[in-house]
Amino acid sequence: MTTIRHHPEDAVLLAHAAGRLPTGPALVVASHLESCARCRERVREYEALGGALLEALPPAALAPEALARALATIDGGDHRAPSPAPLAASAPAAAPRRPALPPGTAWPQALQGCSATPWRWMGPQMYWSRVTVPEDPAAKLFLLRIGAGKRLPTHSHSDLEMTQVLYGSFDDGRASFGAGDFDSAGGDIRHQPVVSEGGMCICLASVDGRLLFDGFIARTIGGLVGM
């Protein structure tokens, strides 16, 4: 059984429960929740608390003309039953394109309906894939596949990076992160993730702003990737 040691902060879980996270971070947090019973319970508590707060609010008065406008809309509508549309044979929807994951590693259900590019080279034994979210194509969501023992370039962050480990493990000097673990790194964090010698590591990452790489080559590749 996977032991999860690193979780989103309570403020992140609260924002997720309230629906206030942007698309990319929300999907990374949702991917964590799938494997973490502890955080799922926290989110349920926050959702219940939000519901209780709504019920405690005093009733809000409608505008004086609200009922009249609603009735006028109903009276002005066409109430005839629509003619049934002819049945057309529809082909089953094609499965979203996604790069291969190691055997036994399942795609997060949170990414259902999302597509992703094939693995693309960004360095020796380092690959990336851009995840496309249909309802928010601008979301900066990536998959990273880094080989055993490899080091990502040292970098800081202009904003916030959220990462969920899907497979393998890495250590960035602050802590070790394994499958199921969540990490959040803001502008105050400068680190160099190093993948364990035991095998590759695959992560789902959301990047707000940019990763600020130290080296010129790393900055150039990061710019091309969109990180």
Side-chain angles (χ1 to χ4, degrees):
M1 182 175 177
T2 300
T3 300
I4 299 176
R5 294 168 294 178
H6 302 286
H7 310 268
E9 296 179 354
D10 282 346
V12 173
L13 294 177
L14 178 59
H16 182 78
R20 296 200 306 267
L21 288 180
T23 301
L27 289 174
V28 177
V29 173
S31 297
H32 177 80
L33 295 177
E34 292 176 22
S35 58
C36 184
R38 170 190 178 275
C39 289
R40 288 198 301 272
E41 180 59 29
R42 294 292 285 170
V43 169
R44 280 194 289 266
E45 291 172 358
Y46 289 136
E47 290 173 340
L49 177 61
L53 290 174
L54 284 175
E55 290 182 358
L57 291 175
L62 292 174
E65 69 278 7
L67 178 59
R69 286 206 306 265
L71 292 176
T73 300
I74 294 173
D75 291 340
D78 185 352
H79 305 296
R80 293 174 298 176
S83 302
L87 296 177
S90 58
R97 295 175 302 146
R98 295 169 177 173
L101 296 180
T105 303
W107 277 86
Q109 288 296 312
L111 300 183
Q112 186 175 8
C114 298
S115 61
T117 65
W119 291 118
R120 294 172 173 171
W121 186 92
M122 66 175 183
Q125 297 186 47
M126 298 183 185
Y127 299 87
W128 66 282
S129 170
R130 178 69 181 257
V131 178
T132 299
V133 185
E135 60 269 25
D136 188 1
K140 296 176 69 174
L141 195 63
F142 301 90
L143 289 164
L144 298 174
R145 191 186 86 192
I146 311 298
K150 291 297 180 181
R151 300 168 178 263
L152 279 173
T154 302
H155 62 275
S156 57
H157 313 82
S158 70
D159 203 323
L160 184 65
E161 175 190 17
M162 289 187 178
T163 302
Q164 174 70 11
V165 183
L166 303 181
Y167 181 88
S169 61
F170 71 89
D171 190 304
D172 71 346
R174 297 177 298 150
S176 295
F177 299 85
D181 281 336
F182 176 93
D183 183 33
S184 179
D188 59 331
I189 301 296
R190 181 176 179 272
H191 60 170
Q192 182 178 37
V194 181
V195 174
S196 66
E197 295 287 350
M200 75 172 78
C201 182
I202 298 178
C203 297
L204 175 69
S206 168
V207 179
D208 287 342
R210 299 293 298 272
L211 302 187
L212 306 177
F213 294 103
D214 284 5
F216 171 76
I217 295 177
R219 287 197 300 271
T220 300
I221 294 176
L224 294 174
V225 170
M227 294 184 184

